[in-house]
Amino acid sequence: MILYITVAAGTVLLACMVNNHCALQPYRVTRQQMCNRVSILAVFLILFALSACRQNVGNDYAKYVEFMHLVNCDSYVPTEAGFNLLVKIIYGISGFENYLLVFAVYAFVTISLFLLAIYEQSDDFPMTYFLFMALGYYFQAFSTVRYYLALAIAFYSMKFVVRRQWGRFILLVILGSFFHKSLLVVLPLYVLASIAWKKWQLALIGLFCTTFLFMQDFYLKVVVFLYPTYEETEYLEGGTSYINILRCLAVFALSLIYYRKSICKNERLRLYFYLNLGALVLYVFCSFLPIISRIGYYLTVSHILFLPALIKETENEKWRKLLKLGVIMAAIFYFAVFMSRAYNEGILILPYKTFFFHDMVNILSDMN
């Protein structure tokens, strides 16, 4: 745990040296631009090294090694074509089952996309990066690596939604779905969140949401049709997160203060507002759906952009500082709770192990 806290604190300090809205000068690199490049590169290298050097860290690390082995043996696996092709290429080039390189490639792309999206889209790079670390997005990427690559793609794609560049948005999402098909849900969800809804339209949507309360069997059948491997498994048990509900409620309450003044007139802020509202609806009404948190994360990842934007919209300097302090303290508390559960089943990012000092445990195929 000390290692993770040190990495988080050290990289946040490096991020504080970044100004992603510095003035540009033609035909020369300014001191701030150079500082940005060095700081972000240092952050990337630290995050990448920690992720790429891990061995059997993450809830499903061994399961992924098993999947890679089965892909290499041309056996059936429930993973997507992009994942399978990447494994085939890396194993073919390496000449052996080099699962470490596969995890390293995933870490490289996932971290790169998150950092690039934060630099391009955030109103305050240090604050957004701090939230990225404190809310656990980086550390949770040690598990479900396919999903967190998809989450990074969804996060990066938000800029195309704001710019109404629908072709680029759709193409990026479709390409990403070859690595985790759940990414396809952002096509309707992000489009719906980009619309300036009228009150009567929101009332109709609210009425529709009540169908999730008495048509659960129908929606579960739809899920099984889309994900046949979920049938008769524990994945159909559903469940929700009260912490995420409280987080969405807090963000929603805060955003109402700024709605008339800023949010309703700004397409980017309005997108984040409706993404948060959509996540709240999903967590409350759709808890019966399998792995609802994964769908919700595609929406709540916008918090790390939305909160710094709301802080910036606070004109009174005193209140702005108090709001920023409040967000920081809440995020630190969230990080502490997350770290306290890091040894638990379903997370298992502790203890940290590296291939330099530890051997890989036997996978299922080795035991047969």
Side-chain angles (χ1 to χ4, degrees), residues 45 67 111 136 141 149 153 166 172 175 185-186 199 202 204 245-246 249 255 287 305 307 350:
L45 290 176
F67 284 161
I111 296 168
L149 172 62
I153 293 172
W166 300 115
L172 182 60
L175 288 175
V185 302
V186 307
K199 291 182 179 179
L202 290 174
L204 288 178
I245 290 176
L246 289 174
L249 279 172
S255 62
S287 61
L305 296 173
L307 288 172
L350 284 175

Side-chain angles (χ1 to χ4, degrees), residues 75-93:
S75 300
Y76 169 76
V77 287
T79 48
E80 291 81 2
F83 174 83
N84 300 343
L85 180 60
L86 179 64
V87 170
K88 281 280 192 181
I89 292 173
I90 291 178
Y91 279 19
I93 294 173

Side-chain angles (χ1 to χ4, degrees), residues 136-358:
Y137 289 110
Y138 168 69
F139 294 107
Q140 289 186 86
F142 289 3
S143 298
T144 57
V145 293
R146 289 165 37 249
Y147 170 76
Y148 274 87
L149 172 62
L151 184 65
I153 293 172
F155 184 60
Y156 184 78
S157 74
M158 287 182 188
K159 72 174 187 177
F160 298 128
V161 177
V162 173
R163 297 172 183 175
R164 305 285 173 170
Q165 296 174 329
W166 300 115
R168 295 183 181 184
F169 168 64
I170 293 170
L171 179 60
L172 182 60
V173 170
I174 290 176
L175 288 175
S177 69
F178 284 101
F179 295 89
H180 204 288
K181 58 186 175 183
S182 70
L183 182 60
L184 292 173
V185 302
V186 307
L187 288 175
L189 292 179
Y190 282 14
V191 171
L192 290 173
S194 70
I195 298 173
W197 297 99
K198 294 180 171 56
K199 291 182 179 179
W200 66 269
Q201 293 172 323
L202 290 174
L204 288 178
I205 293 174
L207 185 63
F208 169 76
C209 289
T210 62
T211 63
F212 291 112
L213 299 177
F214 54 84
M215 294 178 61
Q216 294 184 5
D217 290 340
F218 168 75
Y219 289 116
L220 283 174
K221 288 179 180 178
V222 173
V223 170
V224 171
F225 174 77
L226 295 174
Y227 293 89
T229 55
Y230 284 0
E231 191 170 9
E232 297 181 358
T233 67
E234 70 276 9
Y235 292 119
L236 286 182
E237 293 178 0
T240 192
S241 169
Y242 294 109
I243 291 180
N244 283 329
I245 290 176
L246 289 174
R247 182 172 134 193
C248 290
L249 279 172
V251 173
F252 179 69
L254 178 63
S255 62
L256 287 179
I257 300 174
Y258 301 88
Y259 187 81
R260 288 186 178 277
K261 173 190 170 186
S262 305
I263 294 176
C264 66
K265 305 172 185 177
N266 186 304
E267 290 187 1
R268 182 171 62 95
L269 297 182
R270 191 171 62 235
L271 171 69
Y272 303 153
F273 175 83
Y274 282 126
L275 287 176
N276 177 70
L277 182 59
L280 182 60
V281 169
L282 284 177
Y283 285 129
V284 173
F285 290 95
C286 305
S287 61
F288 65 93
L289 292 177
I291 318 181
I292 190 63
S293 61
R294 291 192 178 184
I295 301 175
Y297 270 33
Y298 284 128
L299 308 179
T300 59
V301 71
S302 62
H303 287 175
I304 68 177
L305 296 173
F306 194 23
L307 288 172
L310 292 180
I311 292 172
K312 184 181 177 181
E313 289 295 320
T314 307
E315 294 180 352
N316 185 286
E317 184 177 354
K318 178 182 176 181
W319 285 109
R320 183 167 61 249
K321 290 180 178 179
L322 286 174
L323 177 57
K324 190 171 186 177
L325 178 62
V327 171
I328 290 173
M329 296 304 295
I332 291 175
F333 175 76
Y334 190 100
F335 182 71
V337 172
F338 174 71
M339 280 294 139
S340 70
R341 301 176 178 177
Y343 287 96
N344 295 357
E345 291 290 335
I347 301 178
L348 284 178
I349 61 171
L350 284 175
Y352 182 79
K353 300 175 184 178
T354 171
F355 64 81
F356 293 115
F357 306 110
H358 301 88

Side-chain angles (χ1 to χ4, degrees), residues 67-136:
F67 284 161
M68 294 177 204
H69 172 73
L70 294 176
V71 168
N72 194 47
C73 295
D74 295 320
S75 300
Y76 169 76
V77 287
T79 48
E80 291 81 2
F83 174 83
N84 300 343
L85 180 60
L86 179 64
V87 170
K88 281 280 192 181
I89 292 173
I90 291 178
Y91 279 19
I93 294 173
S94 301
F96 65 100
E97 296 193 354
N98 192 352
Y99 58 87
L100 291 171
L101 184 56
V102 177
F103 283 116
V105 169
Y106 265 88
F108 183 92
V109 178
T110 302
I111 296 168
S112 297
L113 285 173
F114 269 119
L115 291 180
L116 182 60
I118 292 171
Y119 187 83
E120 292 182 349
Q121 300 180 52
S122 176
D123 288 286
D124 183 349
F125 183 93
M127 188 64 181
T128 297
Y129 178 80
F130 164 75
L131 292 173
F132 168 68
M133 296 298 290
L135 298 182

